[in-house]
Amino acid sequence: MENFKDKVVVVTGGAQGIGRCIAVEFQKAGAHVCVIDRQDGEHFVGDISEKAVLEQFAQEVISNYGHVDYLVNNALPLMKGIDECTYEEFQYAMSVGVTAPFYLSKLFAPHFAKGAVVINISSSRDRMSQPQTESYTAAKGGIAALTHALAVSLAGKVRVNSISPGWIDTNGAVYEGPDAIQQPAGRVGNPMDIANMVLYLCSDKAGFITGENICIDGGMTHQMIYHADYGWKLEV
Protein backbone atom coordinates (compact mmCIF):
# COMPACT_ATOMS: atom_id res chain seq x y z
CA MET A 1 0.00 0.00 0.00
CA GLU A 2 1.19 3.51 -0.84
CA ASN A 3 2.37 5.47 2.19
CA PHE A 4 0.16 8.50 2.77
CA LYS A 5 1.38 9.10 6.32
CA ASP A 6 0.20 12.47 7.65
CA LYS A 7 -1.30 13.51 4.32
CA VAL A 8 -4.54 15.49 4.66
CA VAL A 9 -7.46 14.06 2.69
CA VAL A 10 -10.93 15.54 2.26
CA VAL A 11 -13.75 13.20 1.22
CA THR A 12 -17.29 14.40 0.56
CA GLY A 13 -20.06 11.86 1.07
CA GLY A 14 -17.59 9.77 3.05
CA ALA A 15 -19.91 8.24 5.63
CA GLN A 16 -21.01 5.24 3.58
CA GLY A 17 -20.54 3.34 0.33
CA ILE A 18 -17.68 4.22 -1.99
CA GLY A 19 -16.82 7.35 -0.02
CA ARG A 20 -16.42 5.45 3.23
CA CYS A 21 -14.24 2.86 1.54
CA ILE A 22 -11.99 5.60 0.17
CA ALA A 23 -11.76 7.25 3.58
CA VAL A 24 -10.92 3.97 5.34
CA GLU A 25 -8.21 3.06 2.82
CA PHE A 26 -6.54 6.45 3.24
CA GLN A 27 -6.69 6.05 7.02
CA LYS A 28 -5.06 2.62 6.76
CA ALA A 29 -2.27 4.27 4.79
CA GLY A 30 -1.63 6.80 7.56
CA ALA A 31 -3.55 9.84 6.30
CA HIS A 32 -5.64 12.33 8.22
CA VAL A 33 -9.11 12.09 6.65
CA CYS A 34 -11.71 14.86 6.87
CA VAL A 35 -15.19 13.66 5.92
CA ILE A 36 -18.30 15.72 5.29
CA ASP A 37 -21.66 14.01 4.95
CA ARG A 38 -25.33 14.65 5.73
CA GLN A 39 -25.47 11.37 7.65
CA ASP A 40 -24.87 11.64 11.39
CA GLY A 41 -21.52 10.40 12.67
CA GLU A 42 -18.09 11.37 13.95
CA HIS A 43 -17.40 13.63 10.99
CA PHE A 44 -18.47 17.07 9.83
CA VAL A 45 -22.23 16.81 9.37
CA GLY A 46 -23.67 19.12 6.76
CA ASP A 47 -25.40 19.54 3.41
CA ILE A 48 -22.84 20.43 0.74
CA SER A 49 -25.53 22.08 -1.39
CA GLU A 50 -25.27 25.02 1.03
CA LYS A 51 -22.54 27.62 0.46
CA ALA A 52 -22.19 28.45 4.15
CA VAL A 53 -21.70 24.77 5.03
CA LEU A 54 -18.90 24.42 2.49
CA GLU A 55 -17.20 27.54 3.82
CA GLN A 56 -17.50 26.40 7.43
CA PHE A 57 -16.17 22.94 6.58
CA ALA A 58 -13.22 24.30 4.58
CA GLN A 59 -12.37 26.72 7.38
CA GLU A 60 -12.38 23.88 9.92
CA VAL A 61 -10.10 21.71 7.77
CA ILE A 62 -7.59 24.51 7.26
CA SER A 63 -7.78 25.54 10.90
CA ASN A 64 -6.99 21.97 11.99
CA TYR A 65 -4.36 21.05 9.40
CA GLY A 66 -3.23 24.17 7.54
CA HIS A 67 -3.32 22.56 4.11
CA VAL A 68 -4.98 19.89 1.94
CA ASP A 69 -3.16 17.21 -0.02
CA TYR A 70 -6.08 15.39 -1.65
CA LEU A 71 -9.68 16.40 -2.27
CA VAL A 72 -12.10 13.62 -3.25
CA ASN A 73 -15.46 14.95 -4.45
CA ASN A 74 -17.63 11.88 -4.02
CA ALA A 75 -21.04 12.99 -2.65
CA LEU A 76 -24.02 11.67 -4.61
CA PRO A 77 -26.61 13.95 -6.24
CA LEU A 78 -30.20 12.74 -6.20
CA MET A 79 -31.52 10.78 -9.19
CA LYS A 80 -34.89 11.86 -10.59
CA GLY A 81 -36.14 12.04 -14.15
CA ILE A 82 -37.90 14.53 -16.37
CA ASP A 83 -41.38 13.25 -15.46
CA GLU A 84 -41.03 13.89 -11.71
CA CYS A 85 -37.94 16.02 -11.08
CA THR A 86 -38.86 19.56 -10.06
CA TYR A 87 -36.86 22.67 -10.87
CA GLU A 88 -35.71 22.84 -7.26
CA GLU A 89 -34.67 19.17 -7.19
CA PHE A 90 -32.68 19.55 -10.39
CA GLN A 91 -30.95 22.61 -8.97
CA TYR A 92 -30.17 20.64 -5.80
CA ALA A 93 -28.60 17.84 -7.86
CA MET A 94 -26.41 20.39 -9.64
CA SER A 95 -25.45 22.00 -6.34
CA VAL A 96 -24.32 18.70 -4.82
CA GLY A 97 -22.83 17.19 -7.96
CA VAL A 98 -21.13 20.14 -9.66
CA THR A 99 -21.23 23.39 -7.69
CA ALA A 100 -19.93 21.92 -4.42
CA PRO A 101 -16.91 20.22 -6.07
CA PHE A 102 -16.11 23.49 -7.85
CA TYR A 103 -16.48 25.62 -4.72
CA LEU A 104 -14.47 23.29 -2.49
CA SER A 105 -11.71 23.29 -5.10
CA LYS A 106 -11.84 27.09 -5.07
CA LEU A 107 -11.85 27.33 -1.28
CA PHE A 108 -8.90 24.97 -0.93
CA ALA A 109 -6.96 26.37 -3.92
CA PRO A 110 -4.74 28.66 -1.78
CA HIS A 111 -4.12 25.81 0.65
CA PHE A 112 -3.30 22.87 -1.62
CA ALA A 113 0.09 21.40 -0.75
CA LYS A 114 2.78 20.69 -3.32
CA GLY A 115 1.76 17.64 -5.32
CA ALA A 116 -1.90 18.01 -4.41
CA VAL A 117 -4.58 16.06 -6.27
CA VAL A 118 -8.31 16.48 -6.81
CA ILE A 119 -10.36 13.38 -7.65
CA ASN A 120 -13.92 13.82 -8.86
CA ILE A 121 -16.22 10.81 -8.75
CA SER A 122 -18.36 10.88 -11.88
CA SER A 123 -20.25 7.85 -13.27
CA SER A 124 -20.49 5.79 -16.43
CA ARG A 125 -23.81 7.63 -16.70
CA ASP A 126 -21.74 10.59 -17.91
CA ARG A 127 -21.84 8.81 -21.30
CA MET A 128 -24.94 6.57 -21.20
CA SER A 129 -28.37 6.69 -19.59
CA GLN A 130 -31.44 4.91 -18.35
CA PRO A 131 -34.84 6.60 -18.61
CA GLN A 132 -35.79 9.05 -15.85
CA THR A 133 -32.30 9.77 -14.56
CA GLU A 134 -31.77 13.34 -15.80
CA SER A 135 -30.77 15.03 -12.55
CA TYR A 136 -28.08 12.49 -11.67
CA THR A 137 -26.81 12.04 -15.22
CA ALA A 138 -26.51 15.77 -15.84
CA ALA A 139 -24.60 16.24 -12.58
CA LYS A 140 -22.20 13.42 -13.42
CA GLY A 141 -21.65 14.77 -16.92
CA GLY A 142 -20.98 18.17 -15.38
CA ILE A 143 -18.35 16.94 -12.94
CA ALA A 144 -16.58 15.03 -15.72
CA ALA A 145 -16.29 18.25 -17.74
CA LEU A 146 -15.35 20.25 -14.66
CA THR A 147 -12.43 17.86 -14.21
CA HIS A 148 -10.55 18.80 -17.38
CA ALA A 149 -11.34 22.50 -16.88
CA LEU A 150 -9.84 22.44 -13.39
CA ALA A 151 -6.87 20.40 -14.60
CA VAL A 152 -5.99 23.17 -17.04
CA SER A 153 -6.68 26.05 -14.65
CA LEU A 154 -4.64 24.44 -11.85
CA ALA A 155 -1.87 23.14 -14.11
CA GLY A 156 1.50 22.98 -12.39
CA LYS A 157 -0.14 23.20 -8.95
CA VAL A 158 -2.75 20.44 -8.69
CA ARG A 159 -3.47 17.33 -10.74
CA VAL A 160 -7.20 16.80 -11.34
CA ASN A 161 -8.76 13.55 -12.54
CA SER A 162 -12.17 11.90 -12.45
CA ILE A 163 -13.33 8.32 -12.08
CA SER A 164 -16.54 7.02 -13.64
CA PRO A 165 -17.76 3.93 -11.78
CA GLY A 166 -20.18 1.55 -13.40
CA TRP A 167 -22.26 -0.88 -11.36
CA ILE A 168 -20.68 -0.87 -7.91
CA ASP A 169 -22.47 -2.84 -5.20
CA THR A 170 -21.83 -1.19 -1.82
CA ASN A 171 -23.58 -3.85 0.30
CA GLY A 172 -21.17 -6.75 -0.20
CA ALA A 173 -23.53 -8.80 -2.36
CA VAL A 174 -22.06 -11.35 -4.78
CA TYR A 175 -23.91 -11.62 -8.08
CA GLU A 176 -24.07 -14.67 -10.32
CA GLY A 177 -25.77 -15.47 -13.60
CA PRO A 178 -26.73 -12.70 -16.05
CA ASP A 179 -25.88 -9.87 -13.65
CA ALA A 180 -22.28 -11.07 -13.57
CA ILE A 181 -21.70 -12.55 -17.00
CA GLN A 182 -23.20 -9.60 -18.89
CA GLN A 183 -20.08 -7.68 -17.80
CA PRO A 184 -16.82 -8.43 -19.62
CA ALA A 185 -14.99 -8.56 -16.27
CA GLY A 186 -17.39 -11.32 -15.21
CA ARG A 187 -18.60 -9.69 -12.02
CA VAL A 188 -20.26 -6.66 -10.47
CA GLY A 189 -17.88 -4.07 -9.02
CA ASN A 190 -17.24 -3.25 -5.37
CA PRO A 191 -16.04 -0.10 -3.58
CA MET A 192 -12.43 -1.29 -3.43
CA ASP A 193 -12.33 -1.19 -7.24
CA ILE A 194 -12.81 2.57 -6.97
CA ALA A 195 -10.78 3.18 -3.82
CA ASN A 196 -7.75 1.45 -5.32
CA MET A 197 -7.83 3.80 -8.30
CA VAL A 198 -8.31 6.87 -6.10
CA LEU A 199 -5.22 6.01 -4.07
CA TYR A 200 -3.23 5.26 -7.22
CA LEU A 201 -4.19 8.57 -8.84
CA CYS A 202 -3.15 10.40 -5.67
CA SER A 203 0.22 8.67 -5.60
CA ASP A 204 3.45 9.78 -7.24
CA LYS A 205 3.10 6.82 -9.60
CA ALA A 206 0.33 8.75 -11.37
CA GLY A 207 2.34 11.97 -11.59
CA PHE A 208 1.89 12.28 -15.37
CA ILE A 209 -1.90 11.78 -15.30
CA THR A 210 -4.14 14.85 -15.16
CA GLY A 211 -7.38 15.93 -16.82
CA GLU A 212 -8.37 12.29 -17.35
CA ASN A 213 -11.66 10.50 -16.81
CA ILE A 214 -11.12 6.82 -16.04
CA CYS A 215 -14.15 4.55 -16.41
CA ILE A 216 -14.19 1.57 -14.05
CA ASP A 217 -17.20 -0.46 -15.11
CA GLY A 218 -16.00 -3.98 -15.86
CA GLY A 219 -16.02 -3.13 -19.57
CA MET A 220 -19.78 -2.60 -19.82
CA THR A 221 -19.66 0.64 -21.77
CA HIS A 222 -17.57 -1.06 -24.47
CA GLN A 223 -19.83 -4.08 -24.95
CA MET A 224 -22.50 -4.11 -27.66
CA ILE A 225 -25.52 -6.10 -26.47
CA TYR A 226 -28.43 -7.32 -28.53
CA HIS A 227 -31.53 -9.30 -27.58
CA ALA A 228 -30.62 -12.64 -25.94
CA ASP A 229 -26.91 -11.74 -25.63
CA TYR A 230 -25.24 -12.28 -22.25
CA GLY A 231 -28.49 -12.95 -20.44
CA TRP A 232 -30.24 -9.83 -21.76
CA LYS A 233 -33.78 -10.11 -23.13
CA LEU A 234 -36.04 -7.51 -24.60
CA GLU A 235 -39.53 -8.08 -23.27
CA VAL A 236 -42.41 -6.14 -24.79
Side-chain angles (χ1 to χ4, degrees), residues 113-152:
K114 182 179 180 181
V117 179
V118 174
I119 304 293
N120 295 323
I121 304 299
S122 182
S123 168
S124 59
R125 294 174 188 271
D126 63 8
R127 67 205 70 190
M128 58 194 299
S129 292
Q130 292 174 300
Q132 303 302 320
T133 62
E134 279 76 13
S135 65
Y136 186 92
T137 299
K140 291 304 185 180
I143 200 171
L146 177 66
T147 295
H148 57 74
L150 286 174
V152 173

Side-chain angles (χ1 to χ4, degrees), residues 77 89-101 134-136 138-139:
E89 288 171 329
F90 194 87
Q91 288 289 90
Y92 182 79
M94 294 301 106
S95 294
V96 171
V98 183
T99 306
E134 279 76 13
S135 65
Y136 186 92

